[in-house]
Amino acid sequence: MNNTTSHLIINIGRQLGSGGHDIGHLLAERFSARYFDREILNLAARESGLSERFLEQNDESKSFFRTFMHIPGGLASTMSVTSRQGFSQDSFFQLQSDAIRHAAEEGPCVFVGRCADYVLRDIPTCVNIFVTAPLSFRIDRVAHQHGCTPDEARRIIEKGESRRAAYYNYYTGKHWGDASGYHLCLDSSVLGIEGSAQFIAQFIEQKL
């Protein structure tokens, strides 16, 4: 590993069912990086003294989604979202962001979601990737993963992506999935999961 990749941070945004998690794991293995998705909650819990279960209950919560589905992004500095448990969503976002920064300081990382591309926007060795795929491809994957019908898989995707976009847009002031916010956007159905990970790895090596 050279000096550049020793500080490599890969941030992956993804459409639900596109295989972003699997691609993230493959990239973490390829670059000897630590992988973080829900794992960041465990790190935030250790650093804050709060329980991981409590943080999971507030993670991109349904209460946030219901409250802010129709509020424009970029308001995090002027408004505070409070969950039913009385815990501020802004406080949760800050705890999570601090944990992401601390993890990034310690070595190469792959972050899936968590607004990590925004949190780590000032780090020059960040590579921001967005993984997409046709809806039919994603429905098949979600239906297989959840053991559900295609109609149920579609509803899971629609609900999950609406919540994910609302959360991301609110805290970043950007638009989730907008190609201008990423270094590379990739349709994982074209090359498959492993092929997509290999392509992204080659792109990262060329970029750095």
Side-chain angles (χ1 to χ4, degrees):
M1 183 178 296
N2 59 42
N3 289 335
T4 303
T5 55
S6 67
H7 295 90
L8 174 64
I9 305 296
I10 303 171
N11 301 312
I12 300 178
R14 76 286 182 215
Q15 287 188 306
L16 206 156
S18 64
H21 290 281
D22 295 336
I23 290 171
H25 279 295
L26 290 169
L27 290 172
E29 182 178 350
R30 169 66 181 80
F31 291 103
S32 300
R34 291 186 298 164
Y35 174 92
F36 292 98
D37 179 13
R38 300 191 72 81
E39 292 84 354
I40 205 66
L41 297 179
N42 180 267
L43 182 59
R46 291 201 306 268
E47 293 185 355
S48 67
L50 296 170
S51 74
E52 185 178 358
R53 182 179 179 183
F54 176 76
L55 293 181
E56 279 205 25
Q57 290 173 343
N58 285 274
D59 181 27
E60 299 183 13
S61 68
K62 294 179 181 179
S63 61
F64 176 93
F65 173 64
R66 287 197 301 268
T67 305
F68 289 93
M69 179 67 177
H70 304 294
I71 291 182
L75 301 181
S77 62
T78 59
M79 299 183 69
S80 177
V81 190
T82 303
S83 74
R84 286 172 296 177
Q85 294 90 347
F87 183 71
S88 165
Q89 278 292 153
D90 289 349
S91 297
F92 172 81
F93 181 78
Q94 187 62 52
L95 287 175
Q96 180 174 261
S97 298
D98 289 344
I100 288 171
R101 292 189 192 96
H102 294 161
E105 290 172 356
E106 295 178 357
C109 296
V110 174
F111 295 101
V112 176
R114 313 285 154 187
C115 300
D117 59 321
Y118 176 77
V119 173
L120 303 175
R121 61 193 179 278
D122 295 326
I123 297 180
T125 52
C126 278
V127 181
N128 300 324
I129 309 294
F130 193 82
V131 182
T132 183
L135 181 58
S136 58
F137 177 87
R138 296 186 288 123
I139 285 175
D140 287 345
R141 282 181 54 85
V142 171
H144 176 74
Q145 291 167 352
H146 290 264
C148 63
T149 68
D151 285 343
E152 290 170 332
R154 181 190 291 270
R155 287 193 290 271
I156 290 171
I157 289 170
E158 290 174 349
K159 183 177 182 180
E161 290 193 345
S162 293
R163 186 184 306 166
R164 185 175 294 171
Y167 184 89
Y168 181 90
N169 296 351
Y170 173 75
Y171 279 109
T172 69
K174 302 193 297 180
H175 292 284
W176 178 77
D178 184 348
S180 65
Y182 305 91
H183 296 111
L184 176 68
C185 296
L186 182 75
D187 180 346
S188 61
S189 72
V190 176
L191 299 177
I193 301 304
E194 292 188 3
S196 296
Q198 292 173 4
F199 184 88
I200 293 170
Q202 293 171 356
F203 172 83
I204 290 170
E205 289 167 347
Q206 289 289 321
K207 181 181 184 301
L208 298 179

